[in-house]
Amino acid sequence: MSRAREISVSEDEDGMRLDRWVKAHAPELTHARLQKLLRTGQIRIGGGRAKANQRVQAGDLVRLPPEVTSAGGMVESDDGPQPARAKTSPKTSDDALVRDLLGRVLYRDDEILVIDKPSGLAVQGGSGLGRHLDGALDGLRFGTAERPRLVHRLDRDTSGVIALARTRKAAADLTRGFREKGIRKLYWAAVAGVPDHPAGTIGMALEKKSNAFGREKMAEGDADDEGQRAVSHYWVIETLGRRAAWLAMSPETGRTHQLRVHAARGLDCPILGDGKYGGRSAFPGGLNVSKRLHLHARRLVIPRPGAPMIDVSAPLPDHMQEAWNRFGFTITTDADQFP
């Protein structure tokens, strides 16, 4: 006969909501059933009743009722009861994608993995997307039991550095770092035209709007609404006369398509290849460059108290390197500096 079991919360699980912790250990448990077990006191922490939104702490003993531990949520091993592996995103069938990503690793330690995401690869799946980074994460375990976790995003057509957390604690730390702006991001972009000022800050608020066909697009929002606040810093590195410019951009906030909208609407200099926000102006004649988006996440700086800082840069993708060569732009260490 199955018995209730008490499972110790690991250090890596410290701070998780109780309902999410239980789902990680018993993925087959439905949401409705989980809520009933919590409401009736059948799931307890340290012998006491617990709420769904309660945060577990490392070392807590969580009591799971027999029906959970016998329903596939736990498995037996030589070391006693262990959590069953949680369900993950569907694994990509494209092994070539995994091999490509393995060759794009820029940094790896026990907690953090940084890769150079190729242009054209979506970070997560969606309608009509068969290949995406999230679907390939099982191939980036490097021998660990856990698959890496996404903690921030890049647009599908934006290339460059993206950080992945290899533990739950690292995911919480990175999420906090992005939210509190301790992590710094530097982008390079080739734009049509040249900004009026060699450097500055764009503070255009952004909100998502839909057109008559239901297609969503970011547009200027209410400047007084803190939820729509969007701030980007930029500076011109080199120019091709008045026809094009190489910009370094550093977003202070992280709105969808923020740099693309700020370049096109805030500077009136759309990023080359960005027809969504620049229209025909994003494809000026005579430049003879790729029609792909010329936006690259160049550098990511992650401070870590008590551990060495991570400072990683990604090389330009081929289509942007070709544009740099054609325009005569020269990459120097100054181009990687924050203002």
Side-chain angles (χ1 to χ4, degrees):
M1 180 177 177
S2 298
R3 296 179 292 108
R5 296 189 187 276
E6 288 187 330
I7 311 300
S8 179
V9 175
S10 69
E11 291 186 5
D12 190 35
E13 297 169 327
D14 185 78
M16 287 182 67
R17 279 177 53 120
L18 176 60
D19 52 358
R20 293 173 183 169
W21 184 93
V22 175
K23 283 293 290 182
H25 285 256
E28 295 84 0
L29 200 61
T30 65
H31 177 75
R33 185 57 184 159
L34 171 58
Q35 294 302 313
K36 183 175 181 180
L37 291 173
L38 288 165
R39 188 171 60 252
T40 57
Q42 297 182 66
I43 296 176
R44 294 174 172 263
I45 296 180
R49 296 175 71 100
K51 296 181 178 180
N53 63 353
Q54 184 172 333
R55 301 285 176 173
V56 299
Q57 298 179 354
D60 280 347
L61 290 178
V62 181
R63 178 192 181 277
L64 299 178
E67 67 181 85
V68 175
T69 56
S70 63
M74 304 294 295
V75 296
E76 294 288 336
S77 75
D78 293 338
D79 297 320
Q82 300 293 319
R85 182 173 297 173
K87 295 177 181 177
T88 59
S89 300
K91 185 177 179 180
T92 177
S93 59
D94 188 355
D95 292 335
L97 173 58
V98 174
R99 290 194 298 270
D100 180 48
L101 293 174
L102 289 172
R104 291 175 170 272
V105 172
L106 301 171
Y107 176 87
R108 174 167 63 95
D109 63 21
D110 291 341
E111 296 183 339
I112 295 174
L113 174 67
V114 183
I115 66 171
D116 176 14
K117 187 191 82 68
S119 172
L121 179 67
V123 171
Q124 289 185 297
S127 178
L129 292 176
R131 301 171 78 243
H132 49 83
L133 176 60
D134 189 37
L137 292 183
D138 279 314
L140 301 177
R141 292 175 183 263
F142 292 97
T144 63
E146 297 183 66
R147 71 197 307 264
R149 295 173 171 84
L150 297 169
V151 292
H152 67 126
R153 306 287 187 269
L154 291 179
D155 292 348
R156 177 180 181 179
D157 294 322
T158 301
S159 58
V161 287
I162 185 168
L164 304 165
R166 303 190 71 201
T167 67
R168 193 177 301 279
K169 182 179 183 302
D173 290 343
L174 287 172
T175 299
R176 187 181 310 111
F178 282 111
R179 183 177 63 246
E180 298 177 355
K181 304 176 181 62
I183 295 175
R184 305 190 74 184
K185 298 172 286 184
L186 179 72
Y187 290 74
W188 284 354
V191 300
V194 177
D196 293 334
H197 303 285
T201 297
I202 308 163
M204 178 188 296
L206 299 175
E207 65 175 323
K208 189 174 292 186
K209 295 183 179 179
S210 300
N211 62 17
F213 302 99
R215 295 172 183 168
E216 293 184 336
K217 190 174 180 180
M218 298 304 291
E220 187 169 0
D222 183 358
D224 294 327
D225 186 342
E226 182 65 21
Q228 297 173 10
R229 176 175 177 268
V231 177
S232 303
H233 308 287
Y234 78 92
W235 53 106
V236 178
I237 299 176
E238 283 195 65
T239 66
L240 179 67
R242 298 297 301 175
R243 302 173 66 194
W246 169 9
L247 300 188
M249 305 185 78
S250 181
E252 186 177 307
T253 51
R255 306 297 177 208
T256 301
H257 297 170
Q258 176 175 317
L259 297 181
R260 296 167 60 179
V261 182
H262 278 177
R265 301 287 189 267
L267 297 178
D268 198 26
C269 294
I271 296 173
L272 294 180
D274 189 9
K276 185 179 184 74
Y277 295 103
R280 292 183 179 180
S281 298
F283 305 94
L287 293 182
N288 297 320
V289 295
S290 170
K291 296 186 182 299
R292 300 174 69 180
L293 185 70
H294 285 63
L295 178 62
H296 178 66
R298 168 64 175 180
R299 183 183 176 198
L300 192 65
V301 180
I302 306 173
R304 297 193 295 176
M309 180 177 66
I310 298 174
D311 189 343
V312 183
S313 297
L316 286 174
D318 289 345
H319 73 282
M320 289 184 66
Q321 185 62 63
E322 291 172 3
W324 261 235
N325 294 341
R326 182 174 293 277
F327 297 162
F329 293 160
T330 303
I331 297 176
T332 65
T333 56
D334 290 342
D336 276 327
Q337 304 307 306
F338 289 95

